[in-house]
Amino acid sequence: MKRILIMLILAVAIPVNIIAQNYELNRAKRLIENEEYKEAATLLRPLAENGNAEAQYLAAGLFVEGKGVIKSEKQAEKYYILAFNGGYKEAIVGLVELYDKIGEKEKASDILIKLCSNNHDIEKSPLAHIYGEYLYHGYGNISVNKQR
């Protein structure tokens, strides 16, 4: 009987927690849209620290720009990686753009190469402009096979 009661409590508690997290995440998104970044960051931090991949992605964006938080490329990198590893695939775009912005061409090119080797259609990706620039200038480990 005790086991059944615990299962019932968990069956109700878990969905309620998910609903609460979604509510807070949506609230944070509205705050970002309204340029209320400090309040958004306050809502996003606990969600991000508890593994919400979309919250991690949004928090990374705030850290890149220093909106509502102290600007920190390290924190942005941390949250982009966590978001990507947590299943938020769009985070890889933010990570490559961050590396490109801060001059980490090797790291950015390594990711671009991995994406291409995994049959990722880079030409249709938001990363196409960075990939093209890296090809053109020979940045990182990306090069064009020039045959005559």
Side-chain angles (χ1 to χ4, degrees), residues 131-132 134-139 141-147:
Y131 186 75
Y134 278 41
L135 273 174
Y136 182 78
H137 293 290
Y139 292 150
N141 297 315
I142 297 177
S143 62
V144 178
N145 185 4
K146 297 178 181 177
Q147 297 180 352

Side-chain angles (χ1 to χ4, degrees), residues 24-34 40 54 58:
E24 292 296 299
L25 183 62
N26 287 329
R27 211 169 129 218
K29 287 180 190 178
R30 283 192 304 277
L31 288 167
I32 291 170
E33 287 172 9
N34 293 328
E54 187 173 4
L58 294 170

